Amino acid sequence: MANAEISSAELDNIIDPPALVQGKGDLATITETVSRVAEHKPPKAWYIGFTLALGILGMLGLAIVYLISTGVGVWGNNQPVAWGWPIVNFVFWVGIGHAGTLISAVLYLFRQGWRTGINRFSEAMTIFAVICAGLFPAIHVGRIWVIYWVFPVPNQMAMWPQFRSPLLWDVFAVSTYFTVSLLFWYMGLVPDLATLRDRSKTKIRRLMYGIFALGWTGANRQWHRYERAYLLLAALATPLVLSVHSVVSFDFATSQLPGWHTTIFPPYFVAGAIFSGFAMVVTLAVPARALFGLRDLITLRHLELMNKVIMATGMLVGYAYAMEFFMAWYSGNKYEGFTFVNRAFGPYAWAYWIMVSCNVISPQIFWFKKARRSIPIMFVVSIFVNIGMWFERFVITVTSLNRDFLPSSWNYFSPTIIDWATLIGSFGLFFTLFLLFCRYLPQVAIAEVKGQTPHAHGHSAH
Amino acid sequence: MSDSKKQFGVLAEYETVDEILSAAAKVRDAGYTKWDCYTPMPVHGLDDAMGVKQTRLPWFTLCAGLTGASLGLLMQWWMNAVDYPFLTSGKPQWSLPANIPVIFELTILFSALTTFFTMWIMNNLPRWFSPLARVERFARATDDRFFIAIETADPIFNAASAESLLKETGAHAIEAVEDPDESAAPPTWFRHALMIAGTGLIIPLMIIAYARFSTQDQPRIHLVPDMDFQEKYKAQNPSPLFEDGRAARPQLAGTFAMEDDHLVLEDPGYYTGKVDGEYLTEIPMPVTRELLERGRERFMINCAACHGYDGSGNGTVHKRALSLQTAGWIPPSNLHQAYIAAQPKGQQFESISDGIRNMPGYKAAITTEDRWAIVAYLEALQGIEEAGAQQLWGAAPAVEDAGPVDSDPLVAKGRELYTSKTCIACHSLDGTKLVSGSFLGLAGSERKFTDGTTAIADEAYLNESITNPNAKIVEGYTPGLMVIPPITDEEREALVAFIMSLKQ
């Protein structure tokens, strides 16, 4: 963006300003619109939502305390479905996170100006989703107090981790992903925190925002390095986000199990991750923009573009579902074939068809512009996609395991009440963090949106 | 400025991007170096207008990425192939493809952390205070206004000329900015809080380091004891779980260790082979052809591996033990020996059930009826010897050579004792050296002893060696090596005669 070679005419073509920021759209209005949310008492709905989220979070806390004090036997995981609920939830939440990085990093590299309205939002979603995701493998290990064994730190057994295990790759991929996402998000926040600091009326607000704004003054020499660092982080986060879900898919793909052992998994998982993440952004953005008066910054155009991405990635996962069946037939492997017939027509057929109808069929409505721009339709579809993508991970994990090579050990997996409490509780954690973010931090990247307005571009100087 | 207070510089305010772009170019052309533009968002073209050189930040990122990649590679190689080699599924201990994901993640992690922190360090941030923050209008620098500040630190700074230059650029407001030195640092309470927090963070690390690199006479503190300290029986210690401290619980009166044990009371002869301490002399069931067939089948499964298909004691396990020259190997008995054939049936049954010498009991592995079937088959086997074992079970496994026939009954008895008294474990008959020297050619040979004397191995010497093996030790052996089972004088006589017969 700091590239001076691009002429202003070209810039105007690229950023398409009028549709992205509606209303008056001058710099002060943008500052006011976004900062106002963090500076005033939130609407009643926020309090209701926060109380609810906090209560569900408490339930998660109780479920985890019970789990750790008793043991993982309180979950429904058992042979042959040893990988049950926790891995499903882990993959579900990691996948949600991916849209945030995609919006903030990949669209940045592609110079997609429209990302500025939603990137802060979705980056926050990424971080909270990765926190929820990281929770599941952590509590799944059983003895959580020795979780540090997954890291290469010296321990009393003088042993090192097994670096050839995809589960260990996961540790590195997910922790790197969380770290880089946090840095990226925080770096983007600094200039906006400086804005909140400079607008603050009370000493405590000035101090808190001031400390986290790191003394930012908006000096151009600082902007110069800041922009370069932002570009570098975006360039680093792009391959990272692709690697994270690829590595997550390796957990499955590197094992010799029909239904898991396929090379299509990495791209299939990445497409699914983007799909579910965009759906979650829509799920969150629709109520947030109404509640906090951000309709001028998160416009219908933003939502429509996201719906296009949802439809495209939905068809990608649909293609992957079809290709899996094709490969099962084309390979001539009867075990592979059985797994897929069992997947669609076996005891979990209900889950399979929920997945197909939510993920493949429901986004097809976005072929119609009217549907793409209809708030109720997109909200419902986004919820469907969230459900469908959760079931996708359920189907992959459970249907591949529940009928393994030994028919005598076939079993039907059923979650326990603790499984349910943990899954629902993780939504409590997610929404608690998200609502706190909505309340105290700028939900829209103020400085970046300003960069997309006509006011930000000089005319006489070029 | 001749004020008593120090001046930081001159600040000018602009309202639009166009204004600041043209103003920046003018200030740059005037030759100032210590100045900057302050904008609410990055402004395109301002770098050129100010003459800001491209930052060297990407080079730091590149170096960090290369460092992360090399460290990731080295770490995995050292940890998994050198310091703690992992052997899984026969895969190579070091194979690069499996290590690529972690190398990749570490490359990204190092690059991102370096980019982030280097950027703030190069920008001289975080800073507690900026003199510009004291200027009220400057608060809008993060909102909707654009500013230029020329600092007094600039070598060509002159308050009057700087102000007039900024006025020429069309600034909407110009003011001098003071430099209140005392506010440049964070307040004392903040620094103290930071110091306390920093020290607090170090304390646990110090405790861990101290615990790791020092020795204590107290057991380590286990925050979560896991199975280390659970109540359990440990070797050579009383069990904490029972009052009497015994880990192996005695059998309760009136109970049976195994399901069928109570039957012993009902029919002790059938189940133990004994009634009132006397062995049964007959098999307590009708001996039918079916029973014999069953016995043969069970014998082939359970007994033949050691005792041989023909019961001669020359089974596969025995032959293997001999070929490996296993020290202390006690050979399986030749079941055709007269003393075994003469045993009451109950005693044979007991040997099979509870084991004898180094043979384990087969009570758990073979049912009672099948054990009697084996005893029945044994009689058939013993009786058939003269007819030739082959007739009994067909031609499938080759019959072992029964060995040389001894004309002298004393030598023949000695040959039998050679096996039953376990001499065979250490002394061969074919000249090969097992644990000790072969019996072949021993008689009449010259023995050299550790004390330097020599002797011819005659009958007297052999008798002495069997009675008191440690009296004379042959060169190359250690005292106490030879252990003799209880043996009568007649048996010794027979053994000596047997060994003498192997004279060469």
Side-chain angles (χ1 to χ4, degrees):
Chain A
M1 284 204 161
N3 194 336
E5 269 84 41
I6 297 176
S7 77
S8 62
E10 278 172 312
L11 264 177
D12 286 342
N13 286 338
I14 294 164
I15 58 172
D16 190 12
L20 287 174
V21 181
Q22 289 174 350
K24 249 170 83 192
D26 61 279
L27 302 184
T29 315
I30 294 170
T31 311
E32 175 63 23
T33 313
V34 181
S35 309
R36 194 180 52 212
V37 179
E39 286 164 353
H40 293 86
K41 283 207 163 175
K44 221 179 228 159
W46 186 89
Y47 288 101
I48 297 166
F50 189 69
T51 315
L52 202 67
L54 214 55
I56 298 172
L57 175 62
M59 184 177 74
L60 176 71
L62 290 178
I64 290 177
V65 168
Y66 179 60
L67 170 84
I68 290 172
S69 59
T70 315
V72 284
V74 302
W75 279 339
N77 303 4
N78 209 335
Q79 293 296 359
V81 187
W83 273 21
W85 221 247
I87 190 105
V88 174
N89 297 338
F90 163 70
V91 181
F92 172 71
W93 279 117
V94 169
I96 294 233
H98 281 46
T101 318
L102 191 94
I103 290 169
S104 53
V106 182
L107 297 186
Y108 182 78
L109 294 183
F110 286 118
R111 302 267 191 264
Q112 295 295 308
W114 60 274
R115 68 180 265 290
T116 54
I118 49 168
N119 73 329
R120 168 70 39 74
F121 211 79
S122 34
E123 280 166 34
M125 183 194 75
T126 293
I127 288 160
F128 306 145
V130 175
I131 289 173
C132 291
L135 182 74
F136 285 97
I139 58 178
H140 187 202
V141 299
R143 290 193 290 156
I144 198 168
W145 46 95
V146 288
I147 186 84
Y148 65 92
W149 286 352
V150 305
F151 295 108
V153 285
N155 56 47
Q156 73 271 30
M157 301 175 297
M159 282 172 79
W160 298 112
Q162 161 65 295
F163 283 102
R164 279 164 293 181
S165 160
L167 297 178
L168 190 73
W169 306 345
D170 247 7
V171 172
F172 278 81
V174 175
S175 52
T176 299
Y177 183 49
F178 179 71
T179 311
V180 174
S181 303
L182 191 66
L183 294 181
F184 201 49
W185 182 62
Y186 177 62
M187 211 178 107
L189 267 172
V190 167
D192 295 352
L193 291 173
T195 303
L196 287 175
R197 171 200 64 197
D198 292 343
R199 285 167 58 92
S200 51
K201 302 281 190 292
T202 66
K203 202 162 181 190
I204 180 79
R205 286 181 73 90
R206 187 171 177 79
L207 186 72
M208 290 318 291
Y209 286 124
I211 285 172
F212 287 102
L214 303 176
W216 181 262
T217 52
N220 191 54
R221 290 174 208 277
Q222 294 180 347
W223 272 123
H224 170 71
R225 297 188 192 96
Y226 175 94
E227 288 256 277
R228 185 46 57 131
Y230 202 83
L231 180 69
L232 285 167
L233 281 186
L236 291 168
T238 301
L240 176 65
V241 71
L242 298 179
S243 85
V244 172
H245 229 58
S246 298
V247 166
V248 168
S249 79
F250 289 161
D251 293 347
F252 299 92
T254 57
S255 66
Q256 307 275 338
L257 191 78
W260 286 2
H261 191 63
T262 60
T263 49
I264 200 177
F265 261 32
Y268 164 28
F269 268 51
V270 171
I274 296 163
F275 181 52
S276 65
F278 266 80
M280 191 56 121
V281 174
V282 172
T283 311
L284 296 173
V286 164
R289 68 194 276 277
L291 215 57
F292 299 111
L294 298 171
R295 283 195 183 87
D296 288 346
L297 297 178
I298 305 173
T299 63
L300 260 187
R301 165 131 192 262
H302 289 110
L303 296 172
E304 186 189 348
L305 286 165
M306 282 194 283
N307 289 336
K308 283 182 180 171
V309 176
I310 288 174
M311 187 174 71
T313 46
M315 286 189 290
L316 276 176
V317 296
Y319 171 78
Y321 300 157
M323 195 42 72
E324 278 191 313
F325 270 85
F326 172 75
M327 290 312 294
W329 167 75
Y330 191 67
S331 69
N333 183 317
K334 61 178 175 180
Y335 299 104
E336 195 80 20
F338 170 78
T339 301
F340 280 94
V341 171
N342 184 52
R343 193 172 273 186
F345 305 105
Y348 290 100
W350 57 273
Y352 183 80
W353 294 108
I354 288 180
M355 169 187 96
V356 170
S357 11
C358 287
N359 292 349
V360 186
I361 300 168
S362 79
Q364 299 305 321
I365 197 165
F366 289 146
W367 285 106
F368 305 101
K369 190 170 177 134
K370 247 195 180 139
R372 283 203 300 274
R373 296 181 69 93
S374 154
I375 297 285
I377 289 181
M378 72 173 81
F379 188 70
V380 169
V381 170
S382 77
I383 299 281
F384 275 157
V385 171
N386 284 324
I387 294 170
M389 283 309 291
W390 187 89
F391 270 102
E392 180 194 297
R393 280 62 176 251
F394 178 84
V395 164
I396 290 172
T397 306
V398 176
T399 65
S400 307
L401 286 170
N402 88 306
R403 290 192 164 176
D404 64 359
F405 298 102
L406 201 62
S408 63
S409 67
W410 287 4
N411 206 350
Y412 192 85
F413 167 83
S414 319
T416 64
I417 188 142
I418 304 299
D419 277 314
W420 281 109
T422 323
L423 170 62
I424 297 168
S426 67
F427 280 90
L429 173 62
F430 179 79
F431 280 105
T432 303
L433 292 169
F434 196 80
L435 287 168
L436 283 174
F437 156 76
C438 288
R439 170 75 181 84
Y440 292 106
L441 293 173
Q443 289 177 42
V444 174
I446 304 172
E448 288 194 49
V449 170
K450 284 176 185 167
Q452 297 300 326
T453 60
H455 308 276
H457 303 283
H459 298 288
S460 61
H462 289 281
Chain B
M1 282 211 145
S2 55
D3 271 24
S4 57
K5 286 189 177 162
K6 250 177 93 187
Q7 194 183 352
F8 168 76
V10 183
L11 183 72
E13 182 181 328
Y14 303 89
E15 282 180 2
T16 67
V17 169
D18 288 333
E19 282 173 15
I20 193 152
L21 281 172
S22 69
K26 282 181 187 139
V27 176
R28 174 197 64 196
D29 293 342
Y32 287 104
T33 47
K34 286 284 201 178
W35 66 289
D36 215 331
C37 299
Y38 300 85
T39 57
M41 71 278 188
V43 172
H44 308 288
L46 197 52
D47 289 344
D48 273 357
M50 285 179 65
V52 176
K53 282 195 205 120
Q54 194 61 262
T55 173
R56 285 167 300 153
L57 183 62
W59 293 104
F60 287 95
T61 309
L62 177 69
C63 293
L66 294 173
T67 310
S70 340
L71 275 181
L73 183 74
L74 273 175
M75 175 183 76
Q76 294 182 75
W77 169 75
W78 183 74
M79 286 178 181
N80 269 189
V82 179
D83 192 47
Y84 193 92
F86 261 109
L87 287 169
T88 43
S89 315
K91 289 170 189 161
Q93 287 185 32
W94 175 245
S95 63
L96 195 58
N99 297 290
I100 295 292
V102 172
I103 293 174
F104 175 81
E105 302 301 339
L106 288 179
T107 308
I108 299 281
L109 185 67
F110 274 59
S111 310
L113 287 170
T114 304
T115 308
F116 180 80
F117 288 108
T118 310
M119 186 271 287
W120 295 119
I121 292 167
M122 288 171 96
N123 275 345
N124 278 324
L125 293 175
R127 278 171 72 191
W128 183 260
F129 176 75
S130 160
L132 295 167
R134 282 285 171 95
V135 183
E136 206 173 308
R137 70 171 80 250
F138 189 73
R140 290 181 78 175
T142 55
D143 182 6
D144 62 344
R145 285 292 188 272
F146 305 83
F147 295 88
I148 289 181
I150 305 176
E151 295 171 31
T152 51
D154 194 290
I156 62 164
F157 182 81
N158 173 293
S161 60
E163 277 181 35
S164 66
L165 171 69
L166 291 171
K167 205 163 283 171
E168 274 173 45
T169 63
H172 295 265
I174 295 174
E175 70 178 279
V177 183
E178 287 170 5
D179 191 2
D181 276 330
E182 76 281 4
S183 302
T188 4
W189 67 263
F190 186 78
R191 274 178 291 168
H192 288 169
L194 268 189
M195 273 159 62
I196 290 169
T199 319
L201 283 176
I202 294 171
I203 290 171
L205 294 177
M206 304 270 284
I207 293 173
I208 292 171
Y210 174 72
R212 221 180 150 76
F213 298 109
S214 61
T215 49
Q216 280 94 18
D217 49 12
Q218 291 297 308
R220 287 187 306 142
I221 299 166
H222 286 245
L223 293 180
V224 182
D226 282 345
M227 286 185 279
D228 293 354
F229 300 110
Q230 74 182 29
E231 298 244 297
K232 65 186 166 197
Y233 168 69
K234 286 178 179 163
Q236 312 300 336
N237 282 309
S239 163
L241 300 174
F242 299 100
E243 256 175 42
D244 62 0
R246 285 178 66 170
R249 303 310 300 159
Q251 197 170 343
L252 293 177
T255 61
F256 299 96
M258 292 174 78
E259 206 180 346
D260 289 345
D261 278 5
H262 65 283
L263 297 172
V264 172
L265 300 178
E266 291 170 15
D267 190 355
Y270 179 73
Y271 286 101
T272 63
K274 271 194 284 203
V275 180
D276 299 333
E278 290 290 316
Y279 289 118
L280 298 187
T281 51
E282 292 303 323
I283 295 169
M285 58 179 80
V287 177
T288 60
R289 185 173 184 86
E290 286 73 37
L291 189 74
L292 285 170
E293 288 290 347
R294 177 74 181 166
R296 183 176 72 148
E297 190 199 44
R298 294 294 106 181
F299 180 88
M300 291 303 168
I301 292 171
N302 294 289
C303 316
C306 294
H307 289 288
Y309 294 108
D310 57 354
S312 66
N314 214 356
T316 316
V317 173
H318 175 58
K319 280 186 272 187
R320 175 75 176 153
L322 289 187
S323 76
L324 291 176
Q325 308 186 358
T326 314
W329 169 249
I330 298 175
S333 295
N334 177 350
L335 301 175
H336 299 294
Q337 292 176 95
Y339 85 95
I340 295 179
Q343 281 173 353
K345 298 300 172 206
Q347 192 181 356
Q348 293 178 357
F349 178 83
E350 189 187 61
S351 297
I352 298 173
S353 304
D354 301 331
I356 184 162
R357 286 192 290 275
N358 61 325
M359 168 179 157
Y362 278 78
K363 194 154 56 179
I366 313 175
T367 64
T368 310
E369 190 181 353
D370 283 347
R371 271 177 272 140
W372 282 117
I374 291 171
V375 172
Y377 173 68
L378 210 54
E379 188 177 12
L381 193 63
Q382 286 157 343
I384 209 93
E385 194 196 11
E386 272 157 36
Q390 269 186 346
Q391 281 185 14
L392 189 68
W393 40 265
V399 186
E400 288 302 318
D401 182 7
V405 180
D406 297 303
S407 50
D408 186 344
L410 195 63
V411 172
K413 191 182 179 204
R415 186 184 292 280
E416 210 176 283
L417 290 166
Y418 164 74
T419 305
S420 64
K421 294 295 174 187
T422 72
C423 313
I424 191 173
C426 303
H427 303 277
S428 78
L429 296 183
D430 59 0
T432 52
K433 184 177 176 291
L434 299 178
V435 176
S436 190
S438 174
F439 281 165
L440 184 68
L442 167 63
S445 67
E446 196 189 47
R447 318 298 289 159
K448 277 179 85 177
F449 303 113
T450 45
D451 60 3
T453 60
T454 58
I456 298 294
D458 51 14
E459 285 188 22
Y461 166 77
L462 292 173
N463 272 308
E464 187 197 34
S465 292
I466 296 174
T467 322
N468 181 10
N470 294 335
K472 289 195 176 84
I473 302 300
V474 176
E475 251 184 9
Y477 295 94
T478 49
L481 190 66
M482 178 167 158
V483 183
I484 319 162
I487 188 168
T488 63
D489 284 352
E490 290 78 46
E491 286 171 337
R492 192 181 71 234
E493 213 174 293
L495 266 175
V496 169
F498 170 62
I499 295 169
M500 289 307 286
S501 77
L502 299 171
K503 197 173 185 171
Q504 280 188 326

